[in-house]
């Protein structure tokens, strides 16, 4: 097994699946590139994972994908793990940490559009489940975007399944910026490491 040179920290498994799927679409083998994507099981675990992989222990290059509403928690975790520059939110992207405006699902729904997401759900054979959810009294006044986000998160394993399906359905120019940015960052890390023969 290749020893990673960079670790991308993400909040959950759906984020990990989305990045791996996007990398595969780009013809990249993250493992061969020395990049490991690690799902932390929530942003509150940032300190533990950044400590393990970062400057205080293994000394690997770190990057990450996170939800903007959780930015303060991310910053505190990174600073506690020895990345003092993370205290300045304007330097998070420089460090390789990129924010989804709300969360991954929001980014993918906005990138594909409602009709695009509904087409993916139909192709996956779950249109009846979506209609059932949309027809429930509590959801009848919701926007179509809100119903889709609820649908994606309401059943165990569905977020990860659709993370892959929705990324596969994206046109190349419609990939959410946080996803492309974090993969580009670890590409730069790989190039600098190889060039510097670290």
């Amino acid at each position: 097994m290749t020893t990673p040179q960079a670790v991308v920290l993400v909040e959950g498994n759906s984020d990990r699946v989305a990045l791996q799927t996007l990398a595969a679409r780009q013809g990249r083998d993250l493992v061969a590139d020395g990049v490991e994507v690690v799902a932390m099981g929530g942003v509150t675990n940032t300190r533990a994972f950044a400590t393990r992989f970062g400057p205080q222990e293994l000394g690997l290059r770190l990057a990450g994908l996170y939800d903007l509403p959780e930015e303060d928690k991310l910053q505190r975790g990174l600073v506690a793990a020895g990345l003092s520059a993370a205290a300045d939110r304007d330097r998070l992207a420089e460090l390789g940490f990129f924010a989804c405006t709300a969360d991954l699902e929001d980014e993918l729904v906005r990138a594909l559009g409602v009709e695009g997401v509904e087409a993916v759900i139909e192709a996956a054979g779950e249109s009846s489940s979506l209609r059932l959810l949309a027809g429930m009294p509590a959801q009848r006044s919701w926007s179509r975007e809100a119903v889709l986000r609820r649908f994606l998160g309401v059943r165990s394993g569905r977020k990860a399944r659709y993370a892959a399906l929705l990324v596969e359905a994206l046109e190349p120019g419609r990939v959410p910026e946080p996803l492309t940015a974090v993969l580009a960052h670890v590409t730069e890390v790989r190039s600098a490491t190889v060039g510097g023969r670290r």
Side-chain angles (χ1 to χ4, degrees), residues 110-125:
R110 285 191 290 114
L112 267 174
V114 169
E115 291 80 6
V117 175
E118 289 175 347
V120 171
I121 293 170
E122 182 176 3

Side-chain angles (χ1 to χ4, degrees), residues 54-134:
Q56 293 184 357
E57 292 190 18
L58 295 178
L60 303 178
R61 306 286 186 97
L62 297 180
L65 189 69
Y66 67 96
D67 300 341
L68 187 58
E70 307 290 348
E71 188 170 73
D72 289 345
K73 295 174 186 175
L74 175 86
Q75 287 180 276
R76 288 196 296 271
L78 293 176
V79 170
L83 282 81
S84 58
D88 180 354
R89 67 180 53 200
D90 292 333
R91 296 192 63 189
L92 287 173
E94 174 189 328
L95 293 171
F97 289 83
F98 301 92
C100 295
T101 302
D103 54 26
L104 174 68
E105 291 71 36
D106 173 69
E107 294 285 346
L108 292 174
V109 170
R110 285 191 290 114
L112 267 174
V114 169
E115 291 80 6
V117 175
E118 289 175 347
V120 171
I121 293 170
E122 182 176 3
E126 291 201 279
S127 287
S128 59
S129 295
L130 176 61
R131 286 194 297 272
L132 182 64
L133 175 67

Side-chain angles (χ1 to χ4, degrees), residues 119-154:
V120 171
I121 293 170
E122 182 176 3
E126 291 201 279
S127 287
S128 59
S129 295
L130 176 61
R131 286 194 297 272
L132 182 64
L133 175 67
M136 290 182 176
Q139 278 80 47
R140 284 177 187 164
S141 63
W142 289 14
S143 68
R144 291 167 71 192
E145 291 86 354
V147 171
L148 287 172
R149 290 183 60 196
R150 175 64 175 162
F151 171 84
L152 294 173
V154 77

